Amino acid sequence: MINSPSGSIEPYRDSSLDVGTRVADLISRMTLTEKIGQLNQRPLGWQLWQRRGPEVTLTTTLDSELERFGGLGAIYGLLRADAWSGRDWTTGADPAASAEITAIVQERVVASSRLGIPALIVEEAPHGHQALGGTLLPTNLASAASWRPELLTEAFAHVGQELRTRGAHIALASGLDLLRDPRWGRSEECFGEDPLLAARFTAAQVHGLRSEPGVGVVLKHFAGQGAAVGGRNGAGAPIGPRELDELHLPAVRAGIDAGAVGVMAAYNEIDGIPCVANEWLLTGLLRDRWGFGGIVMADLGAIDQLGRTTSSAVETAAVALRAGVDLSLCDEAYLFLDEAVGAGLIDEALIDRACARVLRVKIELGLLDPPAPLPVFPAPWSTDDLVAATPVLLINDDQLLPLDMPGRIAVIGPNGDDRDCLLGDYVPPLPDGAGTTVLAGLRDRLGTELVDHEPGSLLTEPLPGGLDRAVSAADAADLVIMVLGGSSVRHYADTFADNGAAELTGAVAATGGEGVDIAEVALPAAQQQLVEAVAATGTPIITVIISGRPLGLQGVIDHSKALVWAGYPGPDGGRLITELIMGDREPVGRLPVSLPRTGASLPVAYNERLGATRRYADIESSALFRFGSGLGYATWSLGVPRNSGGPDLADAVVSADLTNNSGREGRQIVQLYGRSRTPGLLPRQAVLLGFTAVELAAGATAPVDVRIDPYTIAALGLDAPTTGSAPAPTVVLWLSLDGPGEPPESAITMQG
Amino acid sequence: MINSPSGSIEPYRDSSLDVGTRVADLISRMTLTEKIGQLNQRPLGWQLWQRRGPEVTLTTTLDSELERFGGLGAIYGLLRADAWSGRDWTTGADPAASAEITAIVQERVVASSRLGIPALIVEEAPHGHQALGGTLLPTNLASAASWRPELLTEAFAHVGQELRTRGAHIALASGLDLLRDPRWGRSEECFGEDPLLAARFTAAQVHGLRSEPGVGVVLKHFAGQGAAVGGRNGAGAPIGPRELDELHLPAVRAGIDAGAVGVMAAYNEIDGIPCVANEWLLTGLLRDRWGFGGIVMADLGAIDQLGRTTSSAVETAAVALRAGVDLSLCDEAYLFLDEAVGAGLIDEALIDRACARVLRVKIELGLLDPPAPLPVFPAPWSTDDLVAATPVLLINDDQLLPLDMPGRIAVIGPNGDDRDCLLGDYVPPLPDGAGTTVLAGLRDRLGTELVDHEPGSLLTEPLPGGLDRAVSAADAADLVIMVLGGSSVRHYADTFADNGAAELTGAVAATGGEGVDIAEVALPAAQQQLVEAVAATGTPIITVIISGRPLGLQGVIDHSKALVWAGYPGPDGGRLITELIMGDREPVGRLPVSLPRTGASLPVAYNERLGATRRYADIESSALFRFGSGLGYATWSLGVPRNSGGPDLADAVVSADLTNNSGREGRQIVQLYGRSRTPGLLPRQAVLLGFTAVELAAGATAPVDVRIDPYTIAALGLDAPTTGSAPAPTVVLWLSLDGPGEPPESAITMQG
């Protein structure tokens, strides 16, 4: 290679040197054009190659892109397989072919680069790698219902292994969006409405992925996307700095602390300033205040969307780079960064700043070191323990569950025998025969002859004759299991926006997922009619809701002797829901989000401020089922809490005795809530400050300690600016097994 | 009096001295206790006296209050008459008794004050003085539909005269709240969703009231109350500074510039900090940045509500005073200001600061000058021109209106013969026989025998037999006029919260007004069923909606050949709606707010930012009828616009030729919209920058000039912080006769 003494290794390739030295050396050798190449990530990865049987060939797309800059910063979605990419088991990258595809592409990238710089291979992994054969996890909303982040660490460690064996470097992982409005189609990608749950699960995810050397995580989305007005995808979040800080930033901090190498700048604006143009956010906060050294990647096409605010692509590029976007994702604008420098809109030092961050990640992940052989694709890994922890039992009248000698069962509802409804958005095509619907799970367990089935309706429309057939089936059965809800299925014939989201102007079958926002979150009328018709038969009903967003279930609860809410649990969901219903497993899930009544009575999050609880004249404004609630089969009692830790809030440990009063082993989630009293700051109704999972034998009592998580203290608002010479704030702390409620008599008061 | 040389006048009473000198002199003579007395406004005024026939006597309430401090800052609602106060034509302050009541009370206040300081007499006047015999105006939302602020100036000049003749000093006037969420019960008190409309009408109101010497205006509410989450009264507004500045502050600036002597600190919090505790808002912005010298009054009980954030009333008082609340309104906390000083929580200088502001207003309004005889109560004043300008014609298929030879008419609907539904909240009991319902108006005009009537339903519930009777009436008629909507009526048997708002836990008949927030803003099911039953008869329908909030009318439009929306127009609304329907008057109203589709598909304001327009899978997210729209009987065309003013945006004058193409005289509102292109700031879809009303003879053409109003430029966001070295922003400007829409080809582009 040029610029290096023959026979010696260049400093940037010398792994004995520190990363900063290597980055500086590499940058010093690069032309402006080469540096700009490192800030670009395009075109869409799956368009770079073709497969015919076992044979993989490159298309011309890659070369024409590489010629432009001599190298490329990153390649997105090389292995992505789904309806948008059009890749399937015939044309896509199966586990066997993936490493070869990555290698061929990378070889070409390196060959095109004067200094031999590989591209970051960036893959979607919001709940498993979105590639053929990738292990599919529950969506984030479902996983959060487990309240057991350690299960997600384990699961994502496996995902990290898969990614590494295929030659990928970066997992795009969801976690930063809070579910503040259930109308949002991306609700399923959130770890619920609470900043602490989001922080703990985001960190768990990062820890899992990072346990595989050579795999980095870019977290999406930064920031405040869940606060978009009307739950409309990508719309603005006109929120203030306190709302942002208390609710939307804890997960970002936790993810960065856990070792994320980057964050993805979101589509939305915050109080008018799009995230990709937000210097306060991307530089002032992220870099100057938090000291983050990784990369900021823009969401797909987000920089080009800035064109709505500028007069040219050159200007757009300058605005985004100056704000702090290091790496674009399929934008045109970053092709014009050289012109922006030439026109004096930005200084080359800003190019260097961004390039150094990209190169630092490449060096940290080993891309500039001699390549090591990739590990082999790991053996299949069971998601059962995670999946089983995600359904939430909300009603269980007369201890109908666990089911004992059910007799004849009719499985009724559009989700009863639909595998796709279990999966969520951002999923690869599954292998033939994979997965178990609720119907299949029950038939496997109880025998086909005992389990009848009628869909009864479609998700949002009646099914001709469906009501009548459903009523007949219910009449003939001893028990009805209604399986209702929604689906984020993406068909290959669907219409997609430029960024892969569903495009509502075209054909879209789903009721959820990216791009499918809805206004009315109550169960659709077609399903509601089905419930009422079936209920009229008098056959007892167990209702199972499978849905990626919190649905309004007011019209269901009076007709259901038992009610199970399941976020998209993944392909084996039907089997594990069966095991839960039959009592093979304890229901241990707790709601990670408040379930609303209707779309008109939003918001309902438990941690809105005090004044937000006021009721409407026509309907309660409260949740129908509150955050943190959920039943098990065991019964429990909790003793009086005490502080067994230090006198400072940060060191407090709230302890109490937990007793399993039942005759069966059980699991419980002990939740610690707080409410602050800060002069001049209206507190949130409650703030989840910590939680812990406990397993207890029948009749056993054990002490439980819950620590205050540092990521959640912000939400107490103890730093309010108006306290002046007023006395210090205080905080009341209480434990609960079923969500916040009002502080009880036994609450502990501490100095804030 | 003490402390003054015998025979000479004290400086604070010397009107030849400047106000500052007089205030300083007066303060220097006062004890801490007396100063604190000036910061208190309690108890409720109507509780201070009794009337038996012509005889008025004071209760003991006043004396016990005066003894506490030796004087009192202000007295609220001395003359208030309504269901909450319980005062009516038998027990209340009619015009003849009012001046005497004020005088007796004031005499006692002055006698109790060592320095002879009178109290400010503070009265509600949100749409007319809320006292017996007060002229009742349309609610603000209705008045704003006129788009003619000069009509409101004239009306409030009359209200100011009335107030003065009764001895009142301060009118509490609504205007600062923006209607951002139609679920809010106080929607009717807003001048719509637009900051410029609110600014112009607020200023108009202040100009009118201030034209009466001795009458001051306190504007409510400061600030951001219309942004409360979920449209829930008094709930928090988690908005950012740009959203606050662009939308919610222009009306405040305009009202202050017009001469308001005070603002009322609102119940809500902004991003966590309650307005009454918000030093940034009340002092940093209002005083330090804007230089406002008037008073900040708290909303009723708002300081005490701060007790949710403090550990004692003493602490509460300290927080509010330090933030900048000068005058409390029926709080307990400000009784403890002396203890707050004693405990070192606040310095006495803060007491002086607040007291000086109260005294300054008293001196400016002449309270420390020798009393002049009050003017006599003015002759009745016709509100017709204002009321006639408020209904908005939204549909007029086949030019059904104006009605020609209608034949037999059936007036159907719960609001058809209900006078109270015309009035709104904050109204005094009317004299017997006052007012005209739509039914009465039509019968007066067409003859009773030609106009049948059936209510058909109640507002939110069916009426037994109502549907059948309505269908019969419709069958027998040639034309149906359906009168639907809502009502903010307050019955004397209703239940009220401590601040006079409706209390939903008790008996409340209304569907709107303070305290009556609703979730579903679509027409209630009972009325919708009525519409469908009547429509099935085939008799043509004209629908008149009388409502204090924007209702979702999706279920009405397909059944209505003509549709008129009327905010609460006042007692004579039925007569003037009749005149409009019959063509005696031109419909000139234009929507001051977007009409939504459902409560689940909010927000719909026209000036949300660009990204907010994304549709839902189940319903459009756009308005059903857009801001600024409305039909007349004349037809119009508008020529190509040009800038006939200066080259700077602030000096621009957008001009075009307007032609009345019809055979009848007409009025039109020419609206000027803009959209900015500021690098790195997502613009609002459109911003109303100016408007002007034009009257043109049949067939006439005239040039129209629209200037850019200074209060609205903020909403363009031209000061965005991210522009850096990028080119200056640009603004496109366009004229419209029916709301914003997208910028047309003919739009003018200017430097920002």
Side-chain angles (χ1 to χ4, degrees):
Chain A
M1 304 211 172
I2 57 173
N3 286 338
S4 68
S6 160
S8 79
I9 192 174
E10 300 92 338
Y12 72 89
R13 292 201 174 273
D14 184 349
S15 61
S16 71
L17 296 176
D18 70 86
V19 178
T21 305
R22 295 175 71 184
V23 169
D25 174 63
L26 185 48
I27 290 235
S28 73
R29 298 167 186 265
M30 296 170 74
T31 65
L32 175 62
T33 302
E34 287 169 339
K35 288 186 273 194
I36 292 173
Q38 293 300 311
L39 312 189
N40 274 279
Q41 175 178 215
R42 53 195 306 279
L44 295 166
W46 64 85
Q47 298 174 347
L48 305 185
W49 55 273
Q50 287 179 324
R51 180 164 79 84
R52 285 203 191 127
E55 189 194 353
V56 175
T57 52
L58 292 181
T59 63
T60 58
T61 313
L62 180 59
D63 283 342
S64 62
E65 196 70 25
L66 292 173
E67 277 167 20
R68 212 191 289 262
F69 295 117
L72 205 51
I75 294 172
Y76 166 88
L78 192 63
L79 307 175
R80 180 168 174 159
D82 68 330
W84 178 41
S85 66
R87 296 288 180 167
D88 57 24
W89 283 93
T90 307
T91 60
D94 58 32
S98 293
E100 185 194 347
I101 292 166
T102 314
I104 293 173
V105 168
Q106 197 66 280
E107 192 180 342
R108 191 70 63 95
V109 172
V110 171
S112 78
S113 165
R114 192 174 52 89
L115 296 161
I117 308 171
L120 290 165
I121 304 297
V122 177
E123 293 289 312
E124 293 285 0
H127 53 121
H129 183 195
Q130 193 184 13
L132 298 172
T135 301
L136 195 55
L137 307 178
T139 56
N140 281 357
L141 186 61
S143 288
S146 73
W147 289 58
R148 293 181 59 200
E150 69 277 14
L151 294 175
L152 209 63
T153 299
E154 199 182 348
F156 270 98
H158 181 82
V159 173
Q161 287 173 35
E162 291 183 5
L163 284 164
R164 189 71 202 107
T165 67
R166 305 200 201 212
H169 306 114
I170 298 283
L172 299 180
S174 299
L176 309 188
D177 302 331
L178 275 201
L179 205 180
R180 303 302 292 182
D181 192 324
R183 292 177 289 184
W184 193 27
R186 303 190 81 167
S187 292
E188 65 192 71
E189 298 182 49
C190 308
F191 289 120
E193 73 192 21
D194 180 74
L196 177 59
L197 273 188
R200 294 275 284 270
F201 276 92
T202 296
Q205 203 179 26
V206 175
H207 282 137
L209 288 163
R210 291 287 283 173
S211 67
E212 182 65 25
V215 173
V217 185
V218 170
L219 289 168
K220 56 191 192 180
H221 305 89
F222 186 56
Q225 187 166 254
V229 293
R232 297 174 196 161
N233 194 34
I239 60 175
R242 178 169 293 280
E243 183 83 354
L244 183 72
D245 189 51
E246 294 184 7
L247 295 182
H248 300 276
L249 297 184
V252 189
R253 297 298 298 275
I256 286 174
D257 290 350
V261 301
V263 293
M264 181 180 278
Y267 289 119
N268 60 284
E269 38 91 356
I270 299 173
D271 202 18
I273 313 295
C275 290
V276 292
N278 201 323
E279 192 168 2
W280 171 85
L281 183 76
L282 302 184
T283 299
L285 182 76
L286 185 68
R287 309 294 185 178
D288 301 343
R289 217 170 95 196
W290 294 353
F292 181 62
I295 54 171
V296 170
M297 181 191 298
D299 206 342
L300 205 157
I303 299 175
D304 284 350
Q305 283 187 15
L306 262 189
R308 295 181 290 186
T309 80
T310 65
S311 54
S312 69
V314 176
E315 200 181 297
T316 296
V319 169
L321 187 77
R322 190 168 47 237
V325 177
D326 305 311
L327 183 58
S328 96
L329 178 46
C330 296
D331 301 284
E332 294 286 320
Y334 263 28
L335 301 179
F336 297 91
L337 281 170
D338 53 345
E339 290 186 37
V341 173
L345 291 177
I346 46 171
D347 194 273
E348 190 171 341
L350 286 178
I351 303 279
D352 288 355
R353 179 180 78 170
C355 185
R357 291 172 186 152
V358 173
L359 295 175
R360 167 176 289 272
V361 169
K362 290 188 176 184
I363 289 172
E364 285 177 345
L365 293 177
L367 273 72
L368 274 295
D369 297 332
L374 296 178
V376 296
F377 200 75
W381 180 79
S382 168
T383 61
D384 282 9
D385 284 348
L386 173 59
V387 173
T390 65
V392 185
L393 179 63
L394 292 168
I395 296 177
N396 192 15
D397 286 350
D398 311 324
Q399 276 72 52
L400 176 65
L401 298 185
L403 271 187
D404 184 29
M405 300 283 292
R408 292 194 60 84
I409 293 179
V411 173
I412 294 175
N415 278 351
D417 194 30
D418 183 275
R419 190 196 60 180
D420 293 334
C421 79
L422 301 167
L423 308 183
D425 196 1
Y426 281 89
V427 298
L430 297 192
D432 281 346
T436 311
T437 65
V438 174
L439 176 68
L442 286 163
R443 284 182 167 167
D444 289 348
R445 182 68 155 66
L446 301 170
T448 300
E449 67 288 355
L450 278 179
V451 186
D452 196 7
H453 171 243
E454 282 296 338
S457 77
L458 303 176
L459 290 176
T460 58
E461 284 168 45
L463 192 61
L467 274 190
D468 291 343
R469 290 193 300 272
V471 166
S472 298
D475 269 330
D478 301 303
L479 176 75
V480 169
I481 298 184
M482 300 213 69
V483 190
L484 309 170
S487 175
S488 298
V489 63
R490 296 290 182 266
H491 295 302
Y492 280 68
D494 280 358
T495 313
F496 296 95
D498 287 345
N499 68 349
E503 175 55 59
L504 293 175
T505 55
V508 172
T511 64
E514 187 174 356
V516 190
D517 311 319
I518 59 172
E520 184 46 81
V521 297
L523 194 69
Q527 295 188 57
Q528 183 63 38
Q529 284 160 9
L530 179 62
V531 169
E532 285 162 18
V534 169
T537 66
T539 309
I541 296 176
I542 297 171
T543 301
V544 177
I545 302 291
I546 297 173
S547 170
R549 65 158 58 77
L551 286 181
L553 302 175
Q554 185 95 54
V556 170
I557 56 175
D558 290 341
H559 302 303
S560 305
K561 286 185 70 75
L563 175 64
V564 176
W565 176 87
Y568 299 138
D572 295 322
R575 175 167 53 83
L576 290 153
I577 289 170
T578 298
E579 292 182 11
L580 182 151
I581 288 174
M582 299 308 298
D584 307 336
R585 293 180 183 254
E586 171 87 359
V588 291
R590 300 294 180 265
L591 287 179
V593 63
S594 305
L595 298 193
R597 293 168 198 268
T598 65
S601 56
L602 301 171
V604 295
Y606 88 92
N607 50 7
E608 293 281 338
R609 295 187 192 277
L610 281 182
T613 52
R614 192 187 160 78
R615 65 160 295 176
Y616 296 108
D618 54 343
I619 195 169
E620 291 293 330
S621 61
S622 58
L624 184 63
F625 291 101
R626 73 183 182 195
F627 175 85
S629 63
L631 305 168
Y633 295 147
T635 52
W636 305 81
S637 59
L638 193 59
V640 174
R642 65 192 182 285
N643 177 14
S644 64
D648 292 342
L649 190 64
D651 304 325
V653 179
V654 180
S655 304
D657 287 334
L658 179 69
T659 302
N660 178 349
N661 298 312
S662 74
R664 57 179 291 161
E665 186 186 38
R667 280 182 179 277
Q668 189 53 279
I669 307 290
V670 182
Q671 305 160 29
L672 171 61
Y673 293 94
R675 182 188 292 175
S676 64
R677 189 176 277 269
T678 303
L681 175 81
L682 199 65
R684 298 184 182 279
Q685 296 166 59
V687 172
L688 180 69
L689 293 172
F691 58 92
T692 192
V694 184
E695 192 167 2
L696 275 187
T701 293
V704 177
D705 298 333
V706 189
R707 284 163 202 285
I708 293 181
D709 195 293
Y711 293 111
T712 198
I713 284 188
L716 290 172
L718 302 175
D719 62 334
T722 59
T723 53
S725 61
T730 58
V731 180
V732 292
L733 302 171
W734 69 100
L735 296 176
S736 169
L737 302 176
D738 64 345
E742 281 293 301
E745 285 289 312
S746 64
I748 302 168
T749 300
M750 294 189 70
Q751 292 296 310
Chain B
M1 303 209 173
I2 56 172
N3 286 337
S4 69
S6 161
S8 80
I9 192 173
E10 302 91 337
Y12 72 90
R13 293 201 176 274
D14 185 348
S15 60
S16 70
L17 296 176
D18 70 85
V19 178
T21 304
R22 296 174 71 182
V23 169
D25 174 64
L26 183 49
I27 289 233
S28 73
R29 297 166 187 268
M30 295 170 75
T31 67
L32 176 62
T33 302
E34 286 169 340
K35 287 186 274 195
I36 292 172
Q38 293 301 311
L39 313 189
N40 274 278
Q41 175 177 215
R42 54 195 303 279
L44 295 166
W46 64 84
Q47 298 174 348
L48 305 184
W49 55 273
Q50 288 179 324
R51 179 164 79 85
R52 285 204 192 124
E55 191 194 351
V56 175
T57 53
L58 292 179
T59 63
T60 57
T61 312
L62 180 60
D63 283 342
S64 61
E65 197 69 25
L66 292 173
E67 276 166 21
R68 212 190 288 262
F69 295 116
L72 205 51
I75 294 172
Y76 167 87
L78 192 65
L79 307 175
R80 179 168 175 158
D82 67 332
W84 177 41
S85 66
R87 296 289 178 167
D88 58 22
W89 283 93
T90 308
T91 61
D94 59 30
S98 293
E100 184 194 348
I101 292 166
T102 313
I104 293 172
V105 168
Q106 197 66 280
E107 189 181 346
R108 191 70 62 97
V109 173
V110 170
S112 77
S113 166
R114 191 175 53 89
L115 296 161
I117 308 171
L120 289 165
I121 303 299
V122 176
E123 292 290 311
E124 293 284 1
H127 53 122
H129 183 194
Q130 193 183 13
L132 298 172
T135 301
L136 194 55
L137 307 177
T139 57
N140 282 357
L141 186 61
S143 288
S146 74
W147 290 58
R148 293 181 59 200
E150 69 276 14
L151 294 175
L152 208 63
T153 299
E154 198 183 348
F156 270 98
H158 182 82
V159 172
Q161 287 173 34
E162 290 183 6
L163 283 163
R164 189 70 203 110
T165 67
R166 305 200 201 212
H169 306 113
I170 299 283
L172 299 180
S174 300
L176 309 188
D177 301 332
L178 275 201
L179 205 180
R180 303 302 291 183
D181 193 323
R183 292 176 289 184
W184 193 26
R186 302 189 83 167
S187 291
E188 66 192 68
E189 298 184 48
C190 307
F191 289 120
E193 72 191 22
D194 179 73
L196 176 59
L197 273 187
R200 293 275 285 269
F201 277 92
T202 295
Q205 202 179 26
V206 175
H207 282 136
L209 288 162
R210 291 287 283 174
S211 67
E212 183 66 25
V215 173
V217 185
V218 170
L219 289 169
K220 56 192 191 180
H221 306 88
F222 185 55
Q225 187 166 255
V229 293
R232 297 174 195 159
N233 195 34
I239 59 174
R242 178 169 293 280
E243 183 83 353
L244 184 72
D245 189 51
E246 294 184 6
L247 295 183
H248 300 276
L249 297 184
V252 188
R253 297 296 300 275
I256 287 175
D257 290 349
V261 301
V263 293
M264 180 179 280
Y267 288 121
N268 60 285
E269 38 91 356
I270 300 173
D271 202 18
I273 313 295
C275 290
V276 292
N278 201 323
E279 192 168 3
W280 172 85
L281 183 75
L282 302 184
T283 298
L285 182 75
L286 185 67
R287 309 296 185 177
D288 301 342
R289 219 169 94 194
W290 293 354
F292 181 61
I295 54 172
V296 171
M297 181 190 299
D299 206 342
L300 205 157
I303 299 175
D304 284 350
Q305 284 188 14
L306 263 189
R308 294 180 289 185
T309 80
T310 65
S311 54
S312 69
V314 177
E315 200 180 299
T316 296
V319 169
L321 188 77
R322 190 168 47 236
V325 177
D326 305 311
L327 184 58
S328 96
L329 178 46
C330 297
D331 301 285
E332 293 285 321
Y334 264 28
L335 301 179
F336 297 92
L337 281 171
D338 54 344
E339 291 186 37
V341 172
L345 291 177
I346 46 170
D347 194 271
E348 190 170 341
L350 286 178
I351 303 277
D352 289 355
R353 177 180 80 171
C355 185
R357 292 171 185 153
V358 173
L359 295 175
R360 167 177 289 271
V361 168
K362 289 187 175 184
I363 289 171
E364 284 177 346
L365 293 176
L367 273 73
L368 273 297
D369 298 331
L374 295 178
V376 296
F377 199 74
W381 180 80
S382 167
T383 61
D384 282 7
D385 285 347
L386 173 59
V387 172
T390 65
V392 184
L393 179 63
L394 292 168
I395 296 176
N396 192 15
D397 287 350
D398 310 324
Q399 276 71 52
L400 177 64
L401 299 184
L403 270 187
D404 183 30
M405 300 282 292
R408 292 194 60 83
I409 293 179
V411 173
I412 294 175
N415 278 351
D417 194 30
D418 184 275
R419 190 195 60 179
D420 293 335
C421 80
L422 302 168
L423 307 182
D425 196 2
Y426 282 89
V427 298
L430 299 193
D432 281 346
T436 309
T437 66
V438 173
L439 176 68
L442 286 162
R443 284 183 168 166
D444 289 349
R445 181 67 156 67
L446 301 170
T448 300
E449 66 289 354
L450 277 180
V451 186
D452 196 5
H453 171 243
E454 281 298 339
S457 78
L458 302 176
L459 290 176
T460 58
E461 284 168 45
L463 192 62
L467 274 190
D468 291 343
R469 289 194 301 273
V471 166
S472 300
D475 268 330
D478 301 304
L479 177 75
V480 169
I481 297 184
M482 301 215 65
V483 190
L484 308 169
S487 174
S488 297
V489 64
R490 297 290 182 264
H491 296 300
Y492 280 69
D494 281 357
T495 313
F496 295 94
D498 286 346
N499 69 348
E503 175 54 59
L504 292 175
T505 56
V508 172
T511 63
E514 187 173 356
V516 190
D517 311 318
I518 60 172
E520 186 46 79
V521 297
L523 194 70
Q527 295 188 58
Q528 183 63 37
Q529 284 160 9
L530 179 62
V531 169
E532 284 162 19
V534 169
T537 66
T539 309
I541 297 175
I542 296 171
T543 302
V544 176
I545 303 291
I546 297 172
S547 170
R549 66 158 58 78
L551 286 182
L553 302 175
Q554 185 95 56
V556 170
I557 55 174
D558 289 341
H559 302 304
S560 304
K561 287 184 70 72
L563 175 64
V564 175
W565 176 87
Y568 299 137
D572 294 322
R575 175 167 52 81
L576 290 152
I577 288 170
T578 298
E579 292 182 10
L580 181 151
I581 288 174
M582 299 308 299
D584 308 336
R585 293 181 183 253
E586 171 87 359
V588 291
R590 301 294 181 263
L591 287 179
V593 63
S594 305
L595 298 193
R597 293 168 198 268
T598 65
S601 57
L602 300 172
V604 294
Y606 88 92
N607 50 7
E608 294 281 339
R609 293 188 194 277
L610 280 182
T613 52
R614 194 189 158 74
R615 64 160 296 176
Y616 296 109
D618 53 343
I619 194 170
E620 292 293 329
S621 61
S622 57
L624 184 62
F625 292 100
R626 74 183 182 195
F627 174 85
S629 63
L631 304 167
Y633 295 148
T635 52
W636 304 81
S637 59
L638 194 59
V640 174
R642 65 193 182 282
N643 177 15
S644 65
D648 293 343
L649 190 64
D651 304 325
V653 179
V654 181
S655 302
D657 285 335
L658 179 69
T659 303
N660 178 349
N661 299 311
S662 73
R664 56 179 291 160
E665 186 185 41
R667 278 181 180 276
Q668 189 52 279
I669 307 291
V670 182
Q671 305 160 30
L672 171 61
Y673 293 95
R675 181 189 291 175
S676 63
R677 188 175 277 269
T678 303
L681 175 81
L682 199 66
R684 298 185 182 279
Q685 297 166 59
V687 172
L688 180 69
L689 294 171
F691 57 93
T692 191
V694 184
E695 194 167 1
L696 276 187
T701 293
V704 177
D705 298 332
V706 189
R707 286 163 200 284
I708 292 180
D709 195 293
Y711 292 112
T712 197
I713 284 187
L716 290 172
L718 302 175
D719 62 332
T722 59
T723 54
S725 60
T730 57
V731 180
V732 292
L733 303 171
W734 70 100
L735 295 177
S736 169
L737 301 176
D738 65 346
E742 282 293 300
E745 285 289 314
S746 65
I748 301 168
T749 300
M750 294 190 69
Q751 292 297 311

